Amino acid sequence: MSELFRRDPRAQWIARNRLHPLHQALSVGPVYGPSGLLRKNLHIIGFIGPNGLKRIDRSGASGGMDGGSRRSATAASAVVLPLHQIAEPAFYVLVVLDLVSGRLNGHDKDTLGLAQQLANRDSGGGAVVAVAFGELKDQSLDTAGVDRLIHLQGNAYQDYNPEQRCDDLKHIVEQLKPQQILLPDSINGGGDLGRRLAVKIGERPACGVWKLNDDSIVCRASAGLRDITKPLTKLMLVMEECYEPVSETRHESIGLEKSTLSLVNNKLSDHGKISVDPNAIPLAEAGFILSGGNGISDWPQFHHAASVLGATEGASRVAVDDGNMPRERQVGATGTWVTAQVYIAVGISGAIQHMQGIGQCDKVVAINTDEGCDMVKRADLSAIGDSSEILTRLVEMVEQRQQQNNEGVVNE
Amino acid sequence: MSDNKLSVISLVSIGQHPSSGRARRAEQDGRAVELGLKLAGDNLSVLHAGEQPEHVSKQTALRSYLGMGLSELTLLEMSSDADAALVIAEHLTDHNNDIILTGVRSESGESSGMLPYLLAEKLGLAMVTSVADILSVDKTNNRAEVLQALPRGQRRKLTVELPFIASVDMAATVGRQSAFGPAKRGDITALESANIDDVQAQSWQVSTAKKRPKRLKIVKAKTAADRFKAATAKASGGGGKVVHGVEESAQAIFDLLVEERMI
């Protein structure tokens, strides 16, 4: 149902025409109170128009009287998607999520979409079990298509421990006996974990799956030069956009209890990420960008802030044209399309070409003096004020934190 | 670093140019040989499993590894539809190599990237994927420090027990240029191997890759007005937080950066 009020000219005409055979049925009679007085509810007269103003239809008032309540009811129900419940799963489809920085990404959602298709085709009745390792910040697991959830967390899972994860997965597979196991064939861990699991359970995987036809799958082979069509396999490593993500149903995402897991003897041990020169990372794949525009007056301070924060430097077109930044640092439709996880725009008002360039970014922070600019409308967090003052304070805070961390290391 | 006792082997394949399809030195295998040369110098052994190349272009491609400064290359003869992982595993069981280097995935065949994992399981070794560099090898403690390439240009440091298998990522140092003379002079030693056929793969249908359809942006609006709005509206985050004042702003941004683990 639309939220827009629509006139029904025929009903209005019937309401005006007392000789019409339907006139009696359509026109609501007057309401009398307990004392016999004629009552008029002034609040339900008229309706709220598309621009938010109250409108009173004097032309005979057909649907306008009860329209208000009907519209509000439909507006509330439009948001809630139908709940897809699987009480007694006939079989399971296992999905191992990548969860980059604790959130579902597009690749995870596509994988879940394919898993739901596999669980519900033919007679259906299957449930999609998602396995999440480590931190899980995402609240949208139910709308992404997770029927059951196994969440393994602990200190060990904060690091890179593929051997432990692979062993856990093997236990889960033995316990649930899933019909299919799906992993994203990504460089964020899914590709590695899937191949380890394949070897461990002795199952030949289908890698680079990008299409599902009835009972066969199409895989990219020869580094993208060939397609291999093969029968559906148990273990599949799927590519991005292999299937449409779930969008029309809500799922239960009930937590499953996990069996006691054994610790394995790791041959690999993680020593954490090492610092790389942020400006040596190509702008298109940088994860954290500090971008400067026309609003910056103190460029040395901007460069200092970027180095303290450990952010890759970017710039708007104006900053590049004015000679403050090199051309290869330009972000936007005419420069580089960036995919950063956090993008801080300092003194950039947000030309449409620039907004196109940052369309893929997750979190956008705007630092600007003008509250009405387009960048502030797009941003997840907007700081209104003088950019150099805010950057100075931010740099102080970060330096303080780094000092504390260093002291902590020394004390230990 | 070039420990004389360290035995390193690089597994190489014949690559395929992505647009012309012509046989060439595989990009990642070239990097694996380069890394092996850095670790072991002249002691590096190089292994290729496949048919004796008949076509000149394939011979040139295989010899281009020799042109990187190797005197010898071992060719493990097997038919083109045999399972390379099993053949190589059988060959390597009686060689006690400390480090085995491969590319992440091949440029021809199924290119599933399973070979290093299968070898690791068969030989009982540790496996490290997407290696950008091997920093140090400590043979007395049986440990090596490895730099792993992550998405977004990040690097992770790992220590791994020797012996291990590493698949070399595109982030590693580019393989050196192949010189014509050494490539011609180098020896290719052919070895017979057990022929283990890949039965499953025989039923697959292989075709030229189709262009993948571009995903359309589907607007699930029920009225014309909503569709119009979706087509014309500017990108907006929809109710982002707005903060005023220097101290509060800096604190809010700081909190967000901490939450996203950027600092």
Side-chain angles (χ1 to χ4, degrees), chain B residues 46-83:
Chain B
V46 176
L47 177 73
H48 170 72
E51 283 176 312
Q52 186 86 31
E54 281 169 16
H55 198 267
V56 183
S57 68
K58 285 199 170 175
Q59 279 175 15
T60 322
L62 196 57
R63 283 199 167 266
S64 65
Y65 292 106
L66 289 169
M68 292 173 79
L70 306 163
S71 54
E72 193 192 24
L73 185 148
T74 315
L75 172 69
L76 212 53
E77 272 190 76
M78 61 167 213
S79 66
S80 60
D81 48 359
D83 195 336

mmCIF file of all heavy atoms in Angstrom, chain B residues 46-83:
data_model
loop_
_atom_site.group_PDB
_atom_site.id
_atom_site.type_symbol
_atom_site.label_atom_id
_atom_site.label_comp_id
_atom_site.label_asym_id
_atom_site.label_seq_id
_atom_site.Cartn_x
_atom_site.Cartn_y
_atom_site.Cartn_z
ATOM 1 N N VAL B 46 63.800 -26.520 -8.695
ATOM 2 C CA VAL B 46 62.543 -26.115 -9.317
ATOM 3 C C VAL B 46 61.919 -27.339 -9.969
ATOM 4 O O VAL B 46 62.605 -28.119 -10.622
ATOM 5 C CB VAL B 46 62.787 -24.998 -10.353
ATOM 6 C CG1 VAL B 46 61.515 -24.640 -11.060
ATOM 7 C CG2 VAL B 46 63.362 -23.769 -9.676
ATOM 8 N N LEU B 47 60.611 -27.486 -9.740
ATOM 9 C CA LEU B 47 59.922 -28.678 -10.227
ATOM 10 C C LEU B 47 58.705 -28.282 -11.051
ATOM 11 O O LEU B 47 57.950 -27.383 -10.679
ATOM 12 C CB LEU B 47 59.485 -29.523 -9.021
ATOM 13 C CG LEU B 47 58.681 -30.787 -9.307
ATOM 14 C CD1 LEU B 47 59.583 -31.856 -9.902
ATOM 15 C CD2 LEU B 47 58.038 -31.303 -8.038
ATOM 16 N N HIS B 48 58.547 -28.953 -12.180
ATOM 17 C CA HIS B 48 57.339 -28.754 -12.984
ATOM 18 C C HIS B 48 56.725 -30.115 -13.265
ATOM 19 O O HIS B 48 57.432 -31.045 -13.639
ATOM 20 C CB HIS B 48 57.692 -28.044 -14.296
ATOM 21 C CG HIS B 48 56.557 -28.021 -15.287
ATOM 22 N ND1 HIS B 48 55.455 -27.231 -15.100
ATOM 23 C CD2 HIS B 48 56.363 -28.694 -16.444
ATOM 24 C CE1 HIS B 48 54.619 -27.423 -16.126
ATOM 25 N NE2 HIS B 48 55.144 -28.306 -16.944
ATOM 26 N N ALA B 49 55.409 -30.214 -13.065
ATOM 27 C CA ALA B 49 54.734 -31.465 -13.381
ATOM 28 C C ALA B 49 53.850 -31.236 -14.589
ATOM 29 O O ALA B 49 53.034 -30.315 -14.591
ATOM 30 C CB ALA B 49 53.900 -31.929 -12.190
ATOM 31 N N GLY B 50 54.027 -32.040 -15.608
ATOM 32 C CA GLY B 50 53.212 -31.888 -16.808
ATOM 33 C C GLY B 50 53.776 -32.688 -17.951
ATOM 34 O O GLY B 50 54.721 -33.462 -17.785
ATOM 35 N N GLU B 51 53.197 -32.480 -19.118
ATOM 36 C CA GLU B 51 53.674 -33.186 -20.307
ATOM 37 C C GLU B 51 55.004 -32.596 -20.752
ATOM 38 O O GLU B 51 55.302 -31.433 -20.466
ATOM 39 C CB GLU B 51 52.674 -32.996 -21.448
ATOM 40 C CG GLU B 51 51.435 -33.837 -21.342
ATOM 41 C CD GLU B 51 50.463 -33.498 -22.462
ATOM 42 O OE1 GLU B 51 50.220 -32.301 -22.669
ATOM 43 O OE2 GLU B 51 49.973 -34.419 -23.106
ATOM 44 N N GLN B 52 55.774 -33.382 -21.456
ATOM 45 C CA GLN B 52 56.965 -32.852 -22.125
ATOM 46 C C GLN B 52 56.455 -31.839 -23.160
ATOM 47 O O GLN B 52 55.701 -32.206 -24.050
ATOM 48 C CB GLN B 52 57.697 -34.012 -22.812
ATOM 49 C CG GLN B 52 59.018 -33.652 -23.431
ATOM 50 C CD GLN B 52 60.154 -33.726 -22.417
ATOM 51 O OE1 GLN B 52 60.109 -34.517 -21.504
ATOM 52 N NE2 GLN B 52 61.149 -32.883 -22.587
ATOM 53 N N PRO B 53 56.811 -30.539 -23.024
ATOM 54 C CA PRO B 53 56.192 -29.560 -23.922
ATOM 55 C C PRO B 53 56.634 -29.774 -25.363
ATOM 56 O O PRO B 53 57.826 -29.879 -25.640
ATOM 57 C CB PRO B 53 56.683 -28.223 -23.370
ATOM 58 C CG PRO B 53 57.852 -28.535 -22.528
ATOM 59 C CD PRO B 53 57.703 -29.933 -22.063
ATOM 60 N N GLU B 54 55.654 -29.882 -26.239
ATOM 61 C CA GLU B 54 55.970 -30.112 -27.645
ATOM 62 C C GLU B 54 56.005 -28.800 -28.404
ATOM 63 O O GLU B 54 56.853 -28.572 -29.244
ATOM 64 C CB GLU B 54 54.927 -31.048 -28.265
ATOM 65 C CG GLU B 54 55.207 -32.498 -27.904
ATOM 66 C CD GLU B 54 54.058 -33.412 -28.262
ATOM 67 O OE1 GLU B 54 53.193 -32.997 -29.051
ATOM 68 O OE2 GLU B 54 54.040 -34.546 -27.730
ATOM 69 N N HIS B 55 55.050 -27.944 -28.100
ATOM 70 C CA HIS B 55 54.981 -26.684 -28.828
ATOM 71 C C HIS B 55 56.103 -25.756 -28.383
ATOM 72 O O HIS B 55 56.500 -25.758 -27.216
ATOM 73 C CB HIS B 55 53.618 -26.024 -28.573
ATOM 74 C CG HIS B 55 53.297 -24.978 -29.586
ATOM 75 N ND1 HIS B 55 53.612 -23.671 -29.378
ATOM 76 C CD2 HIS B 55 52.723 -25.051 -30.810
ATOM 77 C CE1 HIS B 55 53.233 -22.972 -30.437
ATOM 78 N NE2 HIS B 55 52.684 -23.799 -31.319
ATOM 79 N N VAL B 56 56.626 -24.965 -29.328
ATOM 80 C CA VAL B 56 57.775 -24.098 -29.041
ATOM 81 C C VAL B 56 57.431 -23.078 -27.947
ATOM 82 O O VAL B 56 58.234 -22.816 -27.057
ATOM 83 C CB VAL B 56 58.211 -23.356 -30.326
ATOM 84 C CG1 VAL B 56 59.448 -22.527 -30.047
ATOM 85 C CG2 VAL B 56 58.470 -24.351 -31.429
ATOM 86 N N SER B 57 56.206 -22.532 -28.007
ATOM 87 C CA SER B 57 55.855 -21.484 -27.047
ATOM 88 C C SER B 57 55.846 -22.029 -25.619
ATOM 89 O O SER B 57 56.253 -21.347 -24.685
ATOM 90 C CB SER B 57 54.488 -20.901 -27.398
ATOM 91 O OG SER B 57 53.488 -21.855 -27.173
ATOM 92 N N LYS B 58 55.422 -23.288 -25.472
ATOM 93 C CA LYS B 58 55.414 -23.891 -24.133
ATOM 94 C C LYS B 58 56.823 -24.179 -23.655
ATOM 95 O O LYS B 58 57.146 -24.020 -22.480
ATOM 96 C CB LYS B 58 54.580 -25.174 -24.139
ATOM 97 C CG LYS B 58 53.103 -24.885 -24.187
ATOM 98 C CD LYS B 58 52.285 -26.062 -23.742
ATOM 99 C CE LYS B 58 50.840 -25.629 -23.583
ATOM 100 N NZ LYS B 58 49.959 -26.742 -23.260
ATOM 101 N N GLN B 59 57.683 -24.611 -24.617
ATOM 102 C CA GLN B 59 59.085 -24.851 -24.256
ATOM 103 C C GLN B 59 59.734 -23.554 -23.793
ATOM 104 O O GLN B 59 60.443 -23.517 -22.787
ATOM 105 C CB GLN B 59 59.851 -25.397 -25.464
ATOM 106 C CG GLN B 59 59.657 -26.877 -25.673
ATOM 107 C CD GLN B 59 60.320 -27.359 -26.951
ATOM 108 O OE1 GLN B 59 61.144 -26.659 -27.531
ATOM 109 N NE2 GLN B 59 59.928 -28.548 -27.384
ATOM 110 N N THR B 60 59.455 -22.472 -24.537
ATOM 111 C CA THR B 60 60.027 -21.169 -24.177
ATOM 112 C C THR B 60 59.546 -20.747 -22.800
ATOM 113 O O THR B 60 60.317 -20.236 -21.992
ATOM 114 C CB THR B 60 59.607 -20.100 -25.211
ATOM 115 O OG1 THR B 60 59.625 -20.689 -26.493
ATOM 116 C CG2 THR B 60 60.528 -18.911 -25.155
ATOM 117 N N ALA B 61 58.241 -20.977 -22.544
ATOM 118 C CA ALA B 61 57.675 -20.574 -21.260
ATOM 119 C C ALA B 61 58.348 -21.326 -20.118
ATOM 120 O O ALA B 61 58.702 -20.746 -19.096
ATOM 121 C CB ALA B 61 56.174 -20.840 -21.247
ATOM 122 N N LEU B 62 58.557 -22.617 -20.318
ATOM 123 C CA LEU B 62 59.172 -23.426 -19.262
ATOM 124 C C LEU B 62 60.641 -23.051 -19.082
ATOM 125 O O LEU B 62 61.143 -22.955 -17.970
ATOM 126 C CB LEU B 62 59.035 -24.909 -19.621
ATOM 127 C CG LEU B 62 59.261 -25.890 -18.480
ATOM 128 C CD1 LEU B 62 58.319 -25.596 -17.335
ATOM 129 C CD2 LEU B 62 59.047 -27.310 -18.974
ATOM 130 N N ARG B 63 61.298 -22.767 -20.210
ATOM 131 C CA ARG B 63 62.725 -22.424 -20.141
ATOM 132 C C ARG B 63 62.934 -21.025 -19.556
ATOM 133 O O ARG B 63 64.035 -20.720 -19.108
ATOM 134 C CB ARG B 63 63.347 -22.523 -21.536
ATOM 135 C CG ARG B 63 63.596 -23.963 -21.941
ATOM 136 C CD ARG B 63 64.599 -24.100 -23.056
ATOM 137 N NE ARG B 63 65.012 -25.497 -23.183
ATOM 138 C CZ ARG B 63 66.079 -25.997 -22.582
ATOM 139 N NH1 ARG B 63 66.837 -25.232 -21.819
ATOM 140 N NH2 ARG B 63 66.401 -27.266 -22.750
ATOM 141 N N SER B 64 61.880 -20.204 -19.553
ATOM 142 C CA SER B 64 62.055 -18.853 -19.020
ATOM 143 C C SER B 64 62.325 -18.880 -17.514
ATOM 144 O O SER B 64 62.887 -17.935 -16.984
ATOM 145 C CB SER B 64 60.835 -17.994 -19.335
ATOM 146 O OG SER B 64 59.724 -18.497 -18.654
ATOM 147 N N TYR B 65 61.928 -19.969 -16.844
ATOM 148 C CA TYR B 65 62.294 -20.095 -15.425
ATOM 149 C C TYR B 65 63.797 -20.328 -15.295
ATOM 150 O O TYR B 65 64.448 -19.808 -14.393
ATOM 151 C CB TYR B 65 61.544 -21.258 -14.768
ATOM 152 C CG TYR B 65 60.061 -21.028 -14.637
ATOM 153 C CD1 TYR B 65 59.161 -21.689 -15.453
ATOM 154 C CD2 TYR B 65 59.562 -20.143 -13.689
ATOM 155 C CE1 TYR B 65 57.806 -21.477 -15.348
ATOM 156 C CE2 TYR B 65 58.212 -19.926 -13.562
ATOM 157 C CZ TYR B 65 57.333 -20.601 -14.396
ATOM 158 O OH TYR B 65 55.993 -20.390 -14.274
ATOM 159 N N LEU B 66 64.344 -21.144 -16.230
ATOM 160 C CA LEU B 66 65.794 -21.388 -16.216
ATOM 161 C C LEU B 66 66.552 -20.086 -16.460
ATOM 162 O O LEU B 66 67.632 -19.870 -15.920
ATOM 163 C CB LEU B 66 66.146 -22.415 -17.297
ATOM 164 C CG LEU B 66 65.703 -23.845 -17.017
ATOM 165 C CD1 LEU B 66 65.854 -24.692 -18.265
ATOM 166 C CD2 LEU B 66 66.518 -24.430 -15.886
ATOM 167 N N GLY B 67 65.942 -19.213 -17.259
ATOM 168 C CA GLY B 67 66.563 -17.928 -17.570
ATOM 169 C C GLY B 67 66.659 -17.001 -16.376
ATOM 170 O O GLY B 67 67.303 -15.959 -16.435
ATOM 171 N N MET B 68 66.041 -17.357 -15.276
ATOM 172 C CA MET B 68 66.139 -16.531 -14.070
ATOM 173 C C MET B 68 67.425 -16.828 -13.296
ATOM 174 O O MET B 68 67.641 -16.272 -12.217
ATOM 175 C CB MET B 68 64.930 -16.785 -13.154
ATOM 176 C CG MET B 68 63.626 -16.275 -13.735
ATOM 177 S SD MET B 68 62.203 -16.753 -12.747
ATOM 178 C CE MET B 68 62.296 -15.552 -11.424
ATOM 179 N N GLY B 69 68.239 -17.717 -13.821
ATOM 180 C CA GLY B 69 69.521 -17.988 -13.175
ATOM 181 C C GLY B 69 69.598 -19.366 -12.553
ATOM 182 O O GLY B 69 70.358 -19.588 -11.620
ATOM 183 N N LEU B 70 68.794 -20.303 -13.058
ATOM 184 C CA LEU B 70 68.829 -21.668 -12.532
ATOM 185 C C LEU B 70 69.599 -22.531 -13.522
ATOM 186 O O LEU B 70 69.566 -22.291 -14.725
ATOM 187 C CB LEU B 70 67.407 -22.224 -12.392
ATOM 188 C CG LEU B 70 66.436 -21.391 -11.587
ATOM 189 C CD1 LEU B 70 65.020 -21.838 -11.890
ATOM 190 C CD2 LEU B 70 66.730 -21.561 -10.117
ATOM 191 N N SER B 71 70.278 -23.540 -12.989
ATOM 192 C CA SER B 71 71.025 -24.401 -13.907
ATOM 193 C C SER B 71 70.193 -25.605 -14.330
ATOM 194 O O SER B 71 70.428 -26.193 -15.366
ATOM 195 C CB SER B 71 72.326 -24.860 -13.248
ATOM 196 O OG SER B 71 72.020 -25.450 -11.999
ATOM 197 N N GLU B 72 69.203 -25.933 -13.508
ATOM 198 C CA GLU B 72 68.487 -27.178 -13.775
ATOM 199 C C GLU B 72 67.016 -27.056 -13.378
ATOM 200 O O GLU B 72 66.673 -26.351 -12.428
ATOM 201 C CB GLU B 72 69.141 -28.300 -12.970
ATOM 202 C CG GLU B 72 68.698 -29.673 -13.387
ATOM 203 C CD GLU B 72 69.138 -30.742 -12.388
ATOM 204 O OE1 GLU B 72 69.375 -30.415 -11.210
ATOM 205 O OE2 GLU B 72 69.208 -31.890 -12.799
ATOM 206 N N LEU B 73 66.168 -27.747 -14.101
ATOM 207 C CA LEU B 73 64.749 -27.799 -13.763
ATOM 208 C C LEU B 73 64.281 -29.240 -13.893
ATOM 209 O O LEU B 73 64.623 -29.915 -14.869
ATOM 210 C CB LEU B 73 63.967 -26.884 -14.713
ATOM 211 C CG LEU B 73 62.473 -26.653 -14.518
ATOM 212 C CD1 LEU B 73 62.121 -25.258 -14.976
ATOM 213 C CD2 LEU B 73 61.623 -27.649 -15.287
ATOM 214 N N THR B 74 63.562 -29.739 -12.907
ATOM 215 C CA THR B 74 63.090 -31.117 -12.966
ATOM 216 C C THR B 74 61.691 -31.139 -13.577
ATOM 217 O O THR B 74 60.827 -30.377 -13.153
ATOM 218 C CB THR B 74 63.039 -31.730 -11.560
ATOM 219 O OG1 THR B 74 64.244 -31.396 -10.897
ATOM 220 C CG2 THR B 74 62.885 -33.221 -11.615
ATOM 221 N N LEU B 75 61.520 -31.984 -14.554
ATOM 222 C CA LEU B 75 60.202 -32.118 -15.185
ATOM 223 C C LEU B 75 59.639 -33.478 -14.811
ATOM 224 O O LEU B 75 60.228 -34.520 -15.119
ATOM 225 C CB LEU B 75 60.337 -32.001 -16.704
ATOM 226 C CG LEU B 75 59.095 -32.304 -17.525
ATOM 227 C CD1 LEU B 75 58.040 -31.240 -17.313
ATOM 228 C CD2 LEU B 75 59.430 -32.397 -18.996
ATOM 229 N N LEU B 76 58.510 -33.457 -14.131
ATOM 230 C CA LEU B 76 57.852 -34.688 -13.716
ATOM 231 C C LEU B 76 56.830 -35.011 -14.792
ATOM 232 O O LEU B 76 55.814 -34.334 -14.915
ATOM 233 C CB LEU B 76 57.174 -34.425 -12.375
ATOM 234 C CG LEU B 76 57.059 -35.551 -11.369
ATOM 235 C CD1 LEU B 76 58.409 -36.176 -11.113
ATOM 236 C CD2 LEU B 76 56.500 -35.000 -10.083
ATOM 237 N N GLU B 77 57.120 -36.020 -15.598
ATOM 238 C CA GLU B 77 56.258 -36.259 -16.755
ATOM 239 C C GLU B 77 54.943 -36.900 -16.354
ATOM 240 O O GLU B 77 54.916 -37.923 -15.666
ATOM 241 C CB GLU B 77 56.978 -37.156 -17.758
ATOM 242 C CG GLU B 77 57.823 -36.364 -18.726
ATOM 243 C CD GLU B 77 58.320 -37.233 -19.855
ATOM 244 O OE1 GLU B 77 57.501 -37.540 -20.748
ATOM 245 O OE2 GLU B 77 59.497 -37.620 -19.818
ATOM 246 N N MET B 78 53.852 -36.284 -16.763
ATOM 247 C CA MET B 78 52.527 -36.876 -16.535
ATOM 248 C C MET B 78 51.619 -36.388 -17.651
ATOM 249 O O MET B 78 51.883 -35.366 -18.279
ATOM 250 C CB MET B 78 51.982 -36.463 -15.165
ATOM 251 C CG MET B 78 51.805 -34.970 -14.993
ATOM 252 S SD MET B 78 50.829 -34.590 -13.547
ATOM 253 C CE MET B 78 49.999 -33.112 -14.097
ATOM 254 N N SER B 79 50.546 -37.113 -17.892
ATOM 255 C CA SER B 79 49.655 -36.692 -18.966
ATOM 256 C C SER B 79 48.868 -35.466 -18.499
ATOM 257 O O SER B 79 48.777 -35.178 -17.307
ATOM 258 C CB SER B 79 48.702 -37.836 -19.326
ATOM 259 O OG SER B 79 47.856 -38.082 -18.229
ATOM 260 N N SER B 80 48.315 -34.745 -19.471
ATOM 261 C CA SER B 80 47.706 -33.453 -19.147
ATOM 262 C C SER B 80 46.456 -33.603 -18.277
ATOM 263 O O SER B 80 46.076 -32.675 -17.574
ATOM 264 C CB SER B 80 47.355 -32.709 -20.429
ATOM 265 O OG SER B 80 46.451 -33.480 -21.192
ATOM 266 N N ASP B 81 45.794 -34.787 -18.305
ATOM 267 C CA ASP B 81 44.581 -34.928 -17.492
ATOM 268 C C ASP B 81 44.829 -35.692 -16.185
ATOM 269 O O ASP B 81 43.897 -36.139 -15.537
ATOM 270 C CB ASP B 81 43.445 -35.574 -18.298
ATOM 271 C CG ASP B 81 43.914 -36.812 -19.033
ATOM 272 O OD1 ASP B 81 45.119 -37.117 -18.906
ATOM 273 O OD2 ASP B 81 43.108 -37.449 -19.721
ATOM 274 N N ALA B 82 46.103 -35.815 -15.797
ATOM 275 C CA ALA B 82 46.394 -36.490 -14.527
ATOM 276 C C ALA B 82 46.239 -35.501 -13.373
ATOM 277 O O ALA B 82 46.203 -34.295 -13.571
ATOM 278 C CB ALA B 82 47.803 -37.053 -14.552
ATOM 279 N N ASP B 83 46.137 -36.059 -12.177
ATOM 280 C CA ASP B 83 45.983 -35.220 -10.991
ATOM 281 C C ASP B 83 47.366 -34.812 -10.486
ATOM 282 O O ASP B 83 48.094 -35.619 -9.908
ATOM 283 C CB ASP B 83 45.224 -36.009 -9.909
ATOM 284 C CG ASP B 83 44.727 -35.097 -8.813
ATOM 285 O OD1 ASP B 83 45.317 -34.009 -8.638
ATOM 286 O OD2 ASP B 83 43.749 -35.461 -8.145
#
